Every structure is written in structure tokens, then in C-alpha cells.
Amino acid sequence: MNRVIPGFPLALGITLFYLSLIVLLPLGALIWQASDVGLARYFTIMSGARTSAAFQLTLVTAALATLFNAIYGLALAWVLVRYEFPGRRLLDALVDVPFALPTAVAGLALSALFVSNGWFGAPLAALGIKVAYTPIGIAAAMAFTSIPFVVRTVQPVLEDLAADVEEAAATLGASDWRIFARIIFPAIFPAFLTGASLGFARSLGEFGAIIFIAGNLPMKTEVVSLLTFIRIEEYDYPAAAAIAATLLALAFTLLFLVNMIQLWQQRRIGTGD
């Protein structure tokens, strides 16, 4: 039988070569560069006040953006799957805009909207809320660039969810909230967790959308990705490698934990606990 794609050995070889070339090789170079720093210098770099402040700000704002996207992204996926309304396809297409839009363009647009005389910034400033050049603006930029991760991972699972189980639960007198909490959410939880964690990991390393709205003040609104860039501009490559490797380790640890939780969830559902 003629096959459209090459056989398994050739296909595996091509994919592994491509993965090694564009993913593993750069990561290996980064880890090798960071290993040259030495433990003493590494701890000195990471315990510095400016580095600690940048990591604290990045983690807090990424967590806020992920919390917002988890709630809003789930609601948006639900609306797109469960309801028919004019403009649904357009709304569905708009979800992917943050993926296609250059992050620098997104940062410029958000800055124009949220500065004190912007369309959103002016009324918020009247209420005493400043978004641009504050951690709130950073969280908003992170939320903008990472929202598709939650929607696009939850949406297909919701589409494949069989309606007969929900109908049976409703027939037995279960409330809407009980159906969602006991039937729907456990079914979409692995996808929901994956989307939220991918969004968090993306937020940790976001750069282009943030630098225009953050203000980039050291110790105040300077994120880790910008600090890494600054260290490179200062030709302090060991410090840049140490900071970037730590960010990489955080992202890998998060994805590993998410995979473990998903495995536990699948086994729990499989055993019916």
C-alpha cells in the first residue's frame, strides 16, 4: 500500500532531527552557558534585589493574568460551543488574534488604550485606577497574549462532550450548577488545566507586549524577560543565561506538575473514584 508520509523510521528521524535543531539545541546551549556561571555566582545573581523584584513581579502578574484567563477563557469557550448567535464565527476567529498579532503591536495598542488620556485609561484614571506603567498593565498585556490557550484547549473538549449524560442528570433532578460541577467540569478539567498552565508559562516569558505598557522601572515594573534583555545589552551573558535558565526551569517544572495532575485525574476517572 502506498503511504502518503514516509515510513516510521524516516518520519521519526526527521521529527527528532527537527525537534533537536530548533528546540533542544538552543535550550542545551542556554543550559551550557548557565552552567559556566558556577553556583556561587548563580546564587549571587539570583539573590540580587533587582533580580528578586523582577521575578516577584513576573510571577504575581502572570498568576493574575492566568486567573483572569481561566475564568474568562472558560466562559468564552462555553459561549462559543453552547450558543448560536449572530457573529459567533467572527468572535471565534477573533480568539486567535493574539496568536497572529505581533506582540509589539499588541503592546502599542494596549498602551494607547490604557494611558491616562486613552479610551480606557481616562475613565479608569477618573476612578483613581492607573493601568499603564503599573503591574496592572503588565497583567493586562499577559492576559491579552495568553487568552487563546485556555479557549482553544477547552473548546474542542466541550464540543465532544456528550449531551446525554447532562440530560440524564437533569432528568434525575440535578441542578444546573450540580451538573456543571459534577459532570462537565471534571470532564474538561485536564484541558482546562493544560490551557491555564500554558497561558501561565507564556506569560512568564512575555516580552514584546509588556515593554510598552510596563514603564520598565527597575524594582517596580521590570519583568524577568526585560531584565534578561538588559543583561545581554550590558554584555553580561552569564547573568542573562542564569536568569533565563531559571525562567526555563520554572516553566518546565510547571508543565511537569500539570502532566502529573492530568495523569492522576485520568487514573481517578478510570477507576471511578
Side-chain angles (χ1 to χ4, degrees), residues 130-202:
K130 186 178 180 182
V131 176
Y133 316 128
T134 69
I136 301 174
I138 297 173
M142 290 177 172
F144 176 85
T145 55
S146 59
I147 182 64
F149 288 101
V150 177
V151 179
R152 291 308 185 209
T153 51
V154 171
Q155 189 176 359
V157 181
L158 276 174
E159 289 173 344
D160 293 339
L161 204 60
D164 53 349
V165 180
E166 298 173 43
E167 292 171 356
T171 304
L172 294 173
S175 64
D176 292 342
W177 170 248
R178 189 175 179 84
I179 292 173
F180 178 81
R182 301 298 298 271
I183 296 175
I184 298 175
F185 191 72
I188 66 173
F189 179 73
F192 174 74
L193 188 62
T194 299
S197 59
L198 287 175
F200 183 78
R202 167 64 186 273

Side-chain angles (χ1 to χ4, degrees), residues 30 69 76 92-93 120 136 149 206-207 252:
L30 172 63
N69 283 342
L76 181 55
D92 192 26
F120 297 158
I136 301 174
F149 288 101
E206 183 54 51
F207 178 78
F252 269 125

Side-chain angles (χ1 to χ4, degrees), residues 16 35 65 76 85 113 152 198 204 215 252:
L16 287 180
S35 65
L76 181 55
F85 55 90
L113 286 174
R152 291 308 185 209
L198 287 175
L204 288 179
F252 269 125

Side-chain angles (χ1 to χ4, degrees), residues 16-266:
L16 287 180
F17 173 76
Y18 188 70
L19 180 67
S20 302
L21 190 65
I22 67 168
V23 178
L24 298 181
L25 189 60
L27 294 182
L30 172 63
I31 295 172
W32 177 76
Q33 182 78 34
S35 65
D36 274 355
V37 175
L39 280 179
R41 175 82 194 283
Y42 174 80
F43 284 117
T44 301
I45 294 170
M46 297 307 300
S47 60
R50 188 173 177 179
T51 307
S52 299
F55 267 95
Q56 184 178 357
L57 175 67
T58 303
L59 290 172
V60 170
T61 50
L64 289 175
T66 303
L67 178 62
F68 173 81
N69 283 342
I71 298 171
Y72 175 71
L74 178 60
L76 181 55
W78 181 272
V79 168
L80 289 173
V81 172
R82 294 302 177 100
Y83 301 107
E84 290 287 344
F85 55 90
R88 187 175 71 89
R89 290 186 180 277
L90 176 61
L91 180 62
D92 192 26
L94 288 176
V95 172
D96 293 326
V97 168
F99 278 154
L101 194 67
T103 54
V105 176
L108 282 171
L110 290 172
S111 299
L113 286 174
F114 286 108
V115 291
S116 57
N117 58 349
W119 288 357
F120 297 158
L124 288 173
L127 298 173
I129 302 173
K130 186 178 180 182
V131 176
Y133 316 128
T134 69
I136 301 174
I138 297 173
M142 290 177 172
F144 176 85
T145 55
S146 59
I147 182 64
F149 288 101
V150 177
V151 179
R152 291 308 185 209
T153 51
V154 171
Q155 189 176 359
V157 181
L158 276 174
E159 289 173 344
D160 293 339
L161 204 60
D164 53 349
V165 180
E166 298 173 43
E167 292 171 356
T171 304
L172 294 173
S175 64
D176 292 342
W177 170 248
R178 189 175 179 84
I179 292 173
F180 178 81
R182 301 298 298 271
I183 296 175
I184 298 175
F185 191 72
I188 66 173
F189 179 73
F192 174 74
L193 188 62
T194 299
S197 59
L198 287 175
F200 183 78
R202 167 64 186 273
S203 297
L204 288 179
E206 183 54 51
F207 178 78
I210 292 176
I211 58 173
F212 293 98
I213 198 172
N216 309 322
L217 295 176
M219 310 288 295
K220 292 182 178 178
T221 57
E222 185 180 61
V223 294
V224 174
S225 56
L226 176 63
L227 181 60
T228 306
F229 180 72
I230 291 173
R231 293 295 182 243
I232 293 174
E233 281 195 320
E234 295 171 344
Y235 301 104
D236 191 356
Y237 297 120
I243 295 171
T246 304
L247 206 58
L248 179 67
L250 282 173
F252 269 125
T253 303
L254 173 68
L255 295 178
F256 176 78
L257 290 175
V258 168
N259 277 310
M260 291 297 101
I261 293 173
Q262 287 179 336
L263 183 62
W264 169 79
Q265 175 76 0
Q266 290 170 356

